[in-house]
Amino acid sequence: MSRTRMLLLWATLGFYAAIVAAVWATTWLVDLDWQVMLFRPYKQWPGMHAFLDYFVVLGQRGPTAVLIAAWLGWRCWRQRTLRPLLVMGCALLMLNLSVGAAKLGMGREGPHYANVIGSNEMWLTGDIFPSGHTANAVVTWGILAYLATTPTARRTLSVIAAVFALGVGTTTVYLGTHWVSDVLLGWAAGLLVLLALPWCEPLIAVVERHVLALRDRLFGVPAPADAGPAFEVSARPRPATAARAAEEQRSRAEAAVPSGTWPGGAARGTAGGRLRQPGHSHPGRPERPARSVSSR
């Protein structure tokens, strides 16, 4: 966690708490919620309704999770690592726990189920505060920027994620399914998950090692030849090293022997290290007089 990321995390957490407090106290933010709701944007611009009905799907957890998981699965295969998919799983788990707990805990009713004009509609039976579509759009598309490996790719994907997150949030307000404050809190909730992801990296690394080890056991993948703890050193040299050492030893032994003898004292040029004696000539060759070794 860098200092900049920590500052952003605390600032986003403060923004999250301020939105909840403003809605709880029924401040100007709740008045804005009712003004936008009674304005009914979907009736003011009906021509956009058909397109935005499809666009808002980019914030639904099921379709976006499948789409992003397919892309990250391809990256896992290319990079020979499970980290992209594990990061996504960890982010979605944190998102479901945090947003789900807030929804059920505050129980706010949506615009279509509001009871009293001007009220904050909290502590009832609803589950729309914060906006799940908005928070999910921030997290699922933001993961692509989080996992980018180059600065250019990170900037490009950050812009794409911001466009989708802003678009999905405002679309829910246009359709009348969320208050403005729901969307603001959804943006904050999703950003908190992305900013907290570095704290999960050690756990992700441990899970990846265990999953890969389990895969190797299930499929009978042999361990590498040099596998083992780094402090264990084999006393036996590798085959290539042993052959090279034997060759060097043989070269040193030959260099230490006088030029007229083989190792063991035998004269160079004799068969099997034995001197040829007179009368023991090779069959088919004329016998030559033997010469004394000492005269050489």
Side-chain angles (χ1 to χ4, degrees), residues 40-290:
R40 290 180 172 84
Y42 59 90
K43 288 188 176 181
Q44 303 297 328
W45 302 285
M48 302 174 58
H49 203 293
F51 169 74
L52 293 179
D53 273 338
Y54 290 101
F55 180 78
V56 79
V57 175
L58 295 176
Q60 289 184 0
R61 193 158 304 142
T64 54
V66 171
L67 182 62
I68 301 300
W71 166 253
L72 295 182
W74 180 80
R75 283 191 56 182
C76 289
W77 177 76
R78 287 291 302 273
Q79 298 175 358
R80 301 295 189 270
T81 178
L82 295 177
R83 180 174 172 265
L85 284 177
L86 291 177
V87 167
M88 179 182 175
C90 183
L92 292 181
L93 179 62
M94 289 194 297
L95 177 68
N96 289 334
L97 292 177
S98 60
V99 173
K103 281 175 174 288
L104 296 177
M106 289 183 282
R108 192 183 190 190
E109 295 287 359
H112 293 314
Y113 303 96
N115 298 285
V116 180
I117 295 178
S119 67
N120 59 18
E121 299 295 326
M122 292 183 69
W123 322 118
L124 300 173
T125 59
D127 59 351
I128 51 93
F129 187 58
S131 168
H133 274 71
T134 305
N136 184 72
V138 173
V139 172
T140 52
W141 298 106
I143 284 175
L144 297 180
Y146 177 83
L147 293 172
T149 55
T150 62
T152 302
R154 184 172 295 110
R155 285 192 294 268
T156 302
L157 292 172
S158 296
V159 171
I160 294 174
V163 169
F164 285 160
L166 292 172
V168 169
T170 53
T171 297
T172 61
V173 175
Y174 167 86
L175 296 174
T177 56
H178 280 287
W179 307 101
V180 173
S181 54
D182 295 344
V183 173
L184 294 176
L185 198 65
W187 283 331
L191 189 56
L192 282 175
V193 172
L194 290 179
L195 291 173
L197 272 178
W199 280 334
C200 302
E201 290 288 353
L203 177 62
I204 290 171
V206 171
V207 172
E208 181 182 18
R209 286 198 299 269
H210 284 288
V211 171
L212 292 178
L214 179 62
R215 180 207 62 179
D216 293 343
R217 287 197 299 269
L218 291 177
F219 292 95
V221 178
D226 55 350
F231 56 84
E232 289 186 0
V233 180
S234 176
R236 184 172 56 189
R238 296 179 179 178
T241 306
R244 188 161 49 250
E247 184 66 26
E248 292 176 357
Q249 184 178 4
R250 189 180 305 110
S251 300
R252 288 195 299 268
E254 292 182 359
V257 175
S259 59
T261 60
W262 290 101
R268 187 185 296 275
T270 61
R274 294 176 299 177
L275 295 175
R276 281 205 293 264
Q277 301 296 330
H280 294 276
S281 59
H282 191 278
R285 295 183 181 178
E287 184 173 341
R288 299 178 181 179

